[in-house]
Amino acid sequence: MKNVFFRTYGSLVLSKPLYFLLIVVVSLVISYFIGKSGITGSMFLIIGLIAVSYVTAVVRKPIVILLTIVGVSFFLLGITRYVKMDFPIGTLIDLLIVFTLLALFINSYPKGIDWSPTKKPLIYFSLVWLMYCIGQIANPEARSFDAWMSSIRPMAVYPLILPIFGIFFFNTPSRIRLFLYVWGFFSVIGTLKGWGQLAFGLDHAEQAWIDAGAWDTHLIFGKLRVFSFYSDAGQFGAHQAYTGVVFLAMAIISKRPIDKILFVLISIAGLYGMLISGTRGALFVVFAGVGLYVLHKKNLVVLSFGFVFVVALFVFLKYTSIGQGNPQISRLRTAVDPNDASLQARLSNQRMLSVYMSTRPIGGGLGHGGKKA
């Protein structure tokens, strides 16, 4: 093994004639190409170099593409307001998942992949669920193969594959911390974008989306339900509530002061995003998340604190009128009002659905509950 004191590091590599000559040749080729092809060709060249660098990074460290999936997922549906796609936008995630699988196999060559870490209850349950959803193709009530095809991926394939990727790639504390930073970064950006909609109004694409029919669910008594760059306000509110709870828990258990500070700020941003979304159902994400955390800790102090927090939040919404002038708080308050008209409409829909389901024990077909069918 070569002595580390005699190795060449950093810019000292350029002192070697071969490396210096290679750089000169590449620079001359790029300069000639730019001179001949102009701005358009230069852009393609730059994009190509970035793509080559990205693919190289993915092959060496497949976690890069998994973090890419995390980031892309935040913007994927919202971007369709600005760019009209001639293909199903969800196929982009499919391609990224395929690339991740290829990178995983390449990275593990030639020793092969050790699948033993995936032998966990979550994976087994997800596999059973996938088999059930595949069986739905034979459901006698099903009327559309396309609806089944477009639904099985997010409903059954992703819940199996993505946890497997998580087991392989987020397998150290530092990698989990990196994942949390990426998640938290995009969640905060989402809240900032939502705050911008609330404070400054919608841009032309967002307004066009509202005018095309989304106003029915996103303008309540003239007040906007903020949706940020998510698909709709419901998804925005539920995700931000989930982010708020998870990062609050992480702030409590983290040992590093900088992590505690950042996680608290991300949690606050998430809960604020939930509030401005006007998504009342997201409130129960907070209740359930806090309840699960305190039960998991099995600590009397934490249990007491969690119980007080949930009860205080419920009492604040149910039995006080504090902040009622704020449209976001007043809408959130209706989530605990059993006489709320919207809740009664949902209960009525549930009663009708129960009648429909009483003669269809395995449902009406995967993907047949909305516009897809």
Side-chain angles (χ1 to χ4, degrees), residues 1 35 60 229 369:
M1 185 176 179
R60 293 183 61 188
F229 43 69

Side-chain angles (χ1 to χ4, degrees), residues 9 25 54 59 63 82 89 128 137 158 208 325 333 336 372:
Y9 295 95
V25 171
Y54 179 77
V59 172
I63 191 176
Y82 302 88
I89 192 68
V128 170
I137 196 172
Y158 296 172
R333 186 164 272 133
V336 293
K372 292 180 180 178

Side-chain angles (χ1 to χ4, degrees), residues 234-359:
Q235 292 294 326
F236 175 57
H239 175 268
Q240 297 304 80
Y242 180 57
T243 299
V245 173
V246 170
F247 280 86
L248 177 61
M250 291 305 303
I252 294 172
I253 67 175
S254 295
K255 303 298 183 183
R256 302 196 331 172
I258 185 64
D259 285 344
K260 284 184 175 292
I261 295 172
L262 288 175
F263 291 161
V264 166
L265 293 176
I266 294 170
S267 177
I268 292 172
L271 295 175
Y272 176 73
M274 177 200 74
L275 180 65
I276 62 177
S277 74
T279 305
R280 297 165 299 181
L283 179 64
F284 296 97
V285 174
V286 177
F287 287 147
V290 172
L292 180 62
Y293 174 73
V294 297
L295 288 175
H296 176 71
K297 292 299 290 183
K298 299 176 183 177
N299 182 293
L300 183 60
V301 175
V302 174
L303 185 62
S304 301
F305 174 79
F307 178 77
V308 170
F309 172 80
V310 170
V311 170
L313 181 59
F314 178 79
V315 170
F316 168 76
L317 295 172
K318 177 72 175 176
Y319 297 107
T320 76
S321 57
I322 300 173
Q324 190 64 16
N326 183 298
Q328 283 75 37
I329 294 178
S330 62
R331 177 166 173 78
L332 198 63
R333 186 164 272 133
T334 62
V336 293
D337 180 8
N339 299 315
D340 177 63
S342 177
L343 174 62
Q344 292 302 317
R346 294 189 182 200
L347 293 176
S348 176
N349 289 337
Q350 288 180 13
R351 286 190 290 270
M352 289 189 291
L353 186 61
S354 66
V355 174
Y356 176 86
M357 293 292 290
S358 64
T359 57

